[in-house]
Amino acid sequence: MSRSFGFLIARNPPSRTAGVLTATALVGVCTMVVYPLAELAPVVSLSVVYLPAVLFVSIVWGAWLGVLAGVMSALAFDFFHLAPVGRLTINDSRMWVALAAFVVATALASSVSEIARARTRDAEDRRREADLVAQLARLLLSGDSLSQALPTVAARLAGTLELHSAAIEMEAVQGDERTIAFPLRDGTRTIGTLLVGADSPQTSLRRLKQRVVPSLEAVLGPALERERLMAGAVDAAALRRADNVKTALLRSVSHDLRSPLTAISAAAEALQSRSLSDEERTDMVSVIGGESRRLSRLIENLLDLSRLQAGAAGPRREWCSIEELLGEAVGEIRGEEGQFRLSIDPELPLVSLDPAQMSRAFVNVLENARRHSRGQQVSVRARAVHGIAGGERIVIRVVDRGPGIAPGQLEEVFQPFYRAPGAGDHGGSGLGLAIARGFTEANGGTLHVESLPGQGSTFVFELPLAGSLAPELQPRPGLAGQESLFDAVSGGAEAAAEPQPGGLGDRVGSGVG
């Protein structure tokens, strides 16, 4: 039947009151229609005029109202149109024939409509169940976690099947006086249990058992297998990453340990020679000292990286001066005189952070910038700025004049053991920038790099000032306000002469070797 007449076999017919009123109105209309037709045909043959009204009521409201409409039609036809007009003559044979015809037509029409209505109801139920199974499959097979999807699946089941409650347990559970348990099986193995309220409608429970539970089992089994495979894939990925880290560590250790150890061993053997001059002995001692410091920094970086990856690098905060930390970092690097130029706001407040961690972060980034600056001066600037969304922070920019970083490597330079292909060997271990970012983030800050290839690089520290002391209330440390001291150490150039932001970062091996 077309959608235009779908109301005739609707899932839920209109109310009986509406049916009685409709039947009465249609019988009245048919009675009026018989008057003009009586001039064209014998009145006794015009009882069929009432038949469409009787069929309509039977189809829409069922047999009982159809029979009522048939009786009303027979009585109205007899009273208004059959002689003697104005009197009911039930004993007339023509009246009984008309009444019998209406009742038979009513029974047949109502039977057909009930069958059609039942099929419509069943088809709609199956459509809703198919939509439900499709939703369940999408929820169970596309989510990241099966346990998180199960409450949503149970809620969809309860809403679609008009259940009072529903829950899915991934184990065998027995029902009780308040719940009915439907085991969910994959073959002969029980993989879960569907629990529904014992007071749910019987029709819903029957549909659930006959059609929905088998479909749910067919989806839940693959969902469990998918989760198992995903867990295996995650474990395999973790093992692969661990293997990559192990391989990189072995390569780094084999390269970065062997070189200084070879130099130390050669210098120590050379010192045993009696033919060495005092100057040569001094050089050998200097080689041993430098390579020993290189080994020490490598070991410190490896230990720092292991603490960061294990989540055991919690900061020990205290009030620190950024000015002092940067000055100590420059002194520890021991670069060429004037290689660093510091421009630090003398009014910077003290900041609550771990001085050892942030000092290590500054040393690694400064050493990385010095290594890749191609012998040119590295600029270090620090000042307090206001954020767009409120709040203050200290921004420290380390600017070099190196070859810059390719756009695709701006984040990779912060990965442990990362070395860009074809970048050469600058003596770095590939750990410095990874450790610098880890320590900065552990202290609530951020570290990123800005770069344009061929125009140098800028590594940017941002440290929050939440909880810092106001400048006028802070005891200023010894280096406060002594910008001329840093200018003397760094060579003192104007800020306007600084290069554009950008930076090689750690693409050939990272900060500290």
Side-chain angles (χ1 to χ4, degrees), residues 432-453:
L433 292 183
I435 293 169
R437 171 175 276 188
F439 280 155
T440 303
E441 292 178 349
N443 283 269
T446 61
L447 172 61
H448 68 276
V449 63
E450 302 168 355
S451 177
L452 291 174

Side-chain angles (χ1 to χ4, degrees), residues 109-195:
S110 60
S111 298
V112 172
S113 65
E114 285 300 324
I115 293 173
R117 183 175 287 109
R119 291 184 177 179
T120 300
R121 186 183 300 111
D122 186 65
E124 185 175 348
D125 289 341
R126 288 181 179 275
R127 180 189 60 79
R128 296 178 62 188
E129 291 164 4
D131 293 341
L132 174 64
V133 172
Q135 293 177 2
L136 300 187
R138 184 169 60 253
L139 290 171
L140 294 174
L141 298 176
S142 64
D144 295 332
S145 172
L146 186 60
S147 60
Q148 294 178 356
L150 290 179
T152 304
V153 169
R156 295 286 177 86
L157 276 172
T160 302
L161 300 179
E162 299 177 353
L163 304 172
H164 292 167
S165 63
I168 299 178
E169 300 291 341
M170 298 308 297
E171 57 184 355
V173 179
Q174 298 297 326
D176 52 32
E177 65 278 2
R178 293 183 300 176
T179 59
I180 299 176
F182 293 91
L184 303 175
R185 297 185 176 89
D186 184 12
T188 59
R189 179 172 61 97
T190 299
I191 57 178
T193 305
L194 173 62
L195 300 173

